[in-house]
């Protein structure tokens, strides 16, 4: 799909596809742009990793309910709603600064400043004792994610013109790898390096109180780093002046929204929207709830974070390995082949969560089964690899069919379909957990009232049935 020279939306012909896909990719002369895109997407992933790790820190407090988690999950929604302001990012800019830098620079400055503000108040937002301020945390990270989503709109549009046309498929590699690296750094450092247990076990010779760095100091550092990198990008990187083809004039905001509506009216786009918006139902619980349920069952957040960190590194490698498959004419072929495997993966995950309480020790008593952690690592590894491969394939497909002249709007529209699928299914899954969970409580006088949560396996079956019904 593309826009014509008069910006009338029309279907892309096989000849159009052939012209682009048969051109060999070659990053010679594009390496600097490639690494700049990787850096920008890494900066985008950093606040996402921080926001995601906050959910794990909240769950480890043991006084946060799944309703609280569902409320906090609203912070993920900006990436599903960014289509509402994407046409503004495409149409409004200061020519002397650059079409994409006009938004990128102020947005990244604001993210840095908000991280610094959050650091100054983190002791009240996330106290050592007492219940965290869920509502305020939700508002802060909601704003941060709105800004990160705006940065994503600008960078997605810039990627289509920063790279040569025959290399545009590599934008998905930068996106997937950068977001993964940023999320890994934001999540891993916040959870592990602030953990007293992890630091005493792996990083210190002599045990001491607290981690090697506090959450407050970490947020201060990230805020300052954001501001410094943004300043360097603003000074050193010049943006290409891409004029519209055939003497086309700059489009205004109203025209951009009309173009968006024209795109949405295309039959193929409607079918694509329906497919993607319902695509996450079948594995919503595995993706969004399994980690929290494992923490409830007794698996430490440090162990899960270390596993996630290793897998994030593997995902970065995967992004480059599968780049040659997703940069071709049929990036979605790989995506379609993975769907059955991801659906089947729900079954072993449900069984693992159900039997976790009997396979690991609780409160320091007993020994974990020698099979448990290898099995956990194996399942999480498969899930991460399959999920990341699908993510890269999707981004490559979107980059392939987007028109660079309205790149931010076009890419955002397509990404919104995928983001909506994740956001609504995530919130729904978290909100329904308390209703579909069986609880048993021990009132033995020799121990505390310990709630052992056993996941109702039927929950997975219901979601899979609904998924297939809609498909």
């Amino acid at each position: 799909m593309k826009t014509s020279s008069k910006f009338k939306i029309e279907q892309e012909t096989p000849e159009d596809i052939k012209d682009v896909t048969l051109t060999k990719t070659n990053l010679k002369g594009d390496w600097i742009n490639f690494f700049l895109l990787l850096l920008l997407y890494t900066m985008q992933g950093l606040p996402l990793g921080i926001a995601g790790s906050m959910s794990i820190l909240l769950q480890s407090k043991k006084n946060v309910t799944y309703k609280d988690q569902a409320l906090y999950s609203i912070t993920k929604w900006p990436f599903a709603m960014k289509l509402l302001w994407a046409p503004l990012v495409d149409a409004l800019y200061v020519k002397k600064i650059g079409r994409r830098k006009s938004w990128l620079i102020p947005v990244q400055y604001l993210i840095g400043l908000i991280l610094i503000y959050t650091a100054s108040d983190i002791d009240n937002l996330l106290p050592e004792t007492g219940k965290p301020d869920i509502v305020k945390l939700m508002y802060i990270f909601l704003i941060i994610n709105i800004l990160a989503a705006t940065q994503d709109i600008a960078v997605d549009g810039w990627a289509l013109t920063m790279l040569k046309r025959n290399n545009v498929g590599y934008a998905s590699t930068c996106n997937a790898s950068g977001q993964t690296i940023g999320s890994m750094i934001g999540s891993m450092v916040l959870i592990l390096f602030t953990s007293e247990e992890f630091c005493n076990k792996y990083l210190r010779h002599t045990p001491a109180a607290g981690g090697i760095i506090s959450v407050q100091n970490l947020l201060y550092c990230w805020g300052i780093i954001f501001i410094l990198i943004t300043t360097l990008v603003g000074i050193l990187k010049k943006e290409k002046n891409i004029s519209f083809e055939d003497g086309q004039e700059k489009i205004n905001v109203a025209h951009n929204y009309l173009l968006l509506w024209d795109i949405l009216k295309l039959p193929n786009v409607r079918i694509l929207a329906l497919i993607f918006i319902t695509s996450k139902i079948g594995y919503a619980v595995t993706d969004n709830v399994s980690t929290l349920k494992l923490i409830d069952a007794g698996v430490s957040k440090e162990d899960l974070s270390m596993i996630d960190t290793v897998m994030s590194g593997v995902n970065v490698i995967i992004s480059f390995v599968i780049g040659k498959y997703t940069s071709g004419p049929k990036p979605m072929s790989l995506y379609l082949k993975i769907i059955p495997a991801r659906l089947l993966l729900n079954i072993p995950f449900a069984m693992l969560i159900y039997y976790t309480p009997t396979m690991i020790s609780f409160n320091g008593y007993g020994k974990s089964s020698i099979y448990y952690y290898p099995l956990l690592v194996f399942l999480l590894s498969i899930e991460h690899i399959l999920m990341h491969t699908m993510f890269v394939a999707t981004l490559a497909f979107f980059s392939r069919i987007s028109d660079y002249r309205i790149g931010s709007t076009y890419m955002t529209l397509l990404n919104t379909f995928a983001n909506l699928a994740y956001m609504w299914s995530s919130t729904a899954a978290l909100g329904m957990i308390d209703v579909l969970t069986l609880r048993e409580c021990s009132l033995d006088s020799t121990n505390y009232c310990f709630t052992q949560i056993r996941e109702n396996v039927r929950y997975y079956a219901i979601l899979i049935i609904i998924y297939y019904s809609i498909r």
Side-chain angles (χ1 to χ4, degrees), residues 41-213:
Y41 280 118
T42 299
M43 294 181 70
Q44 179 190 131
L46 184 63
L48 298 181
I50 298 171
S53 63
M54 281 292 172
S55 178
I56 296 176
L57 291 178
L58 291 173
Q59 193 68 18
S60 66
K61 294 293 183 180
K62 301 299 183 183
N63 57 359
V64 175
T65 67
Y66 279 97
K67 289 183 178 179
D68 293 330
Q69 290 283 9
L71 176 63
Y72 182 77
S73 72
I74 294 175
T75 60
K76 303 174 183 178
W77 276 82
F79 273 78
M81 307 301 294
K82 60 183 180 177
L83 182 63
L84 297 176
W85 63 92
L88 296 174
V89 179
D90 247 338
L92 300 178
Y93 58 92
V94 179
K95 189 174 181 180
K96 289 185 178 179
I97 298 176
R99 190 178 182 190
R100 307 308 177 189
K101 286 171 62 177
S102 293
W103 289 88
L104 183 74
I105 302 303
V107 160
Q108 290 189 169
Y109 273 136
L110 284 172
I111 292 175
L113 292 173
I114 293 175
L115 287 175
I116 292 173
Y117 163 76
T118 305
S120 67
D121 196 36
I122 194 65
D123 290 335
N124 295 322
L125 298 171
L126 198 67
E128 289 294 328
T129 59
K131 189 167 183 176
D133 192 338
I134 303 292
V135 174
K136 193 169 182 179
L137 279 171
M138 184 271 291
Y139 280 125
I140 288 175
F141 283 99
L142 178 64
I143 294 172
I144 288 177
N145 282 348
I146 289 174
L147 294 172
T150 305
Q151 191 255 24
D152 183 46
I153 296 170
V155 177
D156 281 348
W158 201 1
L160 298 179
T161 57
M162 187 185 297
L163 294 173
K164 297 175 184 176
R165 190 61 180 160
N166 61 310
N167 290 329
V168 74
Y170 283 105
S172 64
T173 302
C174 296
N175 191 326
S177 300
Q179 278 195 12
T180 301
I181 294 170
S183 296
M184 176 180 66
I185 295 172
S187 178
M188 175 197 69
V189 176
L190 185 59
I191 293 176
L192 297 184
F193 289 7
T194 63
S195 168
E196 179 179 329
E197 178 184 346
F198 176 82
C199 293
N200 286 339
K201 188 175 181 179
Y202 296 104
L203 302 179
R204 291 188 177 121
H205 295 294
T206 304
I212 61 173
I213 188 171

Side-chain angles (χ1 to χ4, degrees), residues 36 97 101 104-105 109 158 227-239:
L36 176 58
I97 298 176
K101 286 171 62 177
L104 183 74
I105 302 303
Y109 273 136
W158 201 1
I227 292 173
L228 290 177
I229 292 179
T230 301
T231 302
L232 291 175
V233 172
I235 294 173
L236 300 178
K237 178 60 180 177
K238 303 299 181 183
E239 188 174 345

Side-chain angles (χ1 to χ4, degrees), residues 276-463:
F276 272 104
I277 289 174
T278 60
S279 63
K280 297 291 193 298
I281 297 176
Y283 23 86
V285 179
T286 300
D287 289 353
N288 301 290
V289 183
S290 56
T291 298
L292 302 180
K293 299 301 289 184
L294 287 169
I295 292 174
D296 278 347
V299 181
S300 73
K301 67 180 186 298
E302 290 82 9
D303 289 341
L304 290 172
S305 182
M306 284 191 289
I307 295 172
D308 187 63
T309 299
V310 173
M311 287 315 306
S312 295
V314 173
N315 286 341
V316 173
I317 298 174
I318 291 173
S319 299
F320 290 95
V321 171
I322 67 174
K324 62 180 180 180
Y325 301 105
T326 58
S327 60
K330 296 182 178 180
M332 290 302 288
S333 297
L334 192 60
Y335 180 100
L336 296 172
K337 292 176 182 177
I338 291 175
I339 289 177
R342 288 207 66 191
L343 291 173
L344 289 174
L345 196 62
N346 287 331
I347 299 173
F349 258 103
M351 299 298 292
L352 176 71
I353 293 172
Y354 186 85
Y355 287 108
T356 289
T358 61
M359 295 180 70
I360 67 174
S361 60
F362 292 98
N363 298 328
Y365 298 104
K367 288 186 177 181
S368 301
S369 168
I370 59 173
Y371 304 106
Y372 180 76
Y373 278 98
L375 180 60
L376 175 62
V377 171
F378 176 71
L379 289 178
L380 288 175
S381 299
I382 294 177
E383 183 204 18
H384 276 72
I385 291 172
L386 294 181
M387 180 169 58
H388 194 73
T389 302
M390 294 174 77
F391 177 58
V392 175
T394 302
L395 292 176
F397 175 65
F398 291 164
S399 297
R400 178 68 60 189
I401 66 176
S402 294
D403 190 315
Y404 72 90
R405 292 169 295 178
I406 50 170
S408 293
T409 301
Y410 221 128
M411 282 290 290
T412 300
L413 171 64
L414 298 173
N415 279 317
T416 295
F417 301 151
N419 290 332
L420 273 175
Y422 175 76
M423 303 309 172
W424 82 261
S425 61
S426 170
T427 301
L430 289 167
M432 295 173 65
I433 281 295
D434 283 334
V435 178
L436 297 172
T437 298
L438 300 178
R439 292 179 173 83
E440 298 174 0
C441 187
S442 170
L443 296 176
D444 193 316
S445 59
T446 61
N447 58 32
Y448 294 102
C449 180
F450 179 76
T451 301
Q452 178 180 337
I453 301 177
R454 296 185 177 181
E455 187 63 48
N456 190 341
V457 180
R458 288 178 298 175
Y459 183 35
Y460 290 86
I462 291 171
L463 288 179

Side-chain angles (χ1 to χ4, degrees), residues 249-283:
E249 296 180 359
K250 175 183 173 182
I251 56 175
N252 56 38
V253 175
H255 194 185
N256 232 5
Y257 278 102
L258 289 175
L259 288 170
L260 179 61
W261 180 244
D262 287 338
I263 296 171
L264 284 169
K265 289 192 296 184
L266 292 173
N268 286 348
V269 171
R270 292 180 180 179
I271 295 172
L272 188 67
L274 179 62
I275 291 172
F276 272 104
I277 289 174
T278 60
S279 63
K280 297 291 193 298
I281 297 176
Y283 23 86

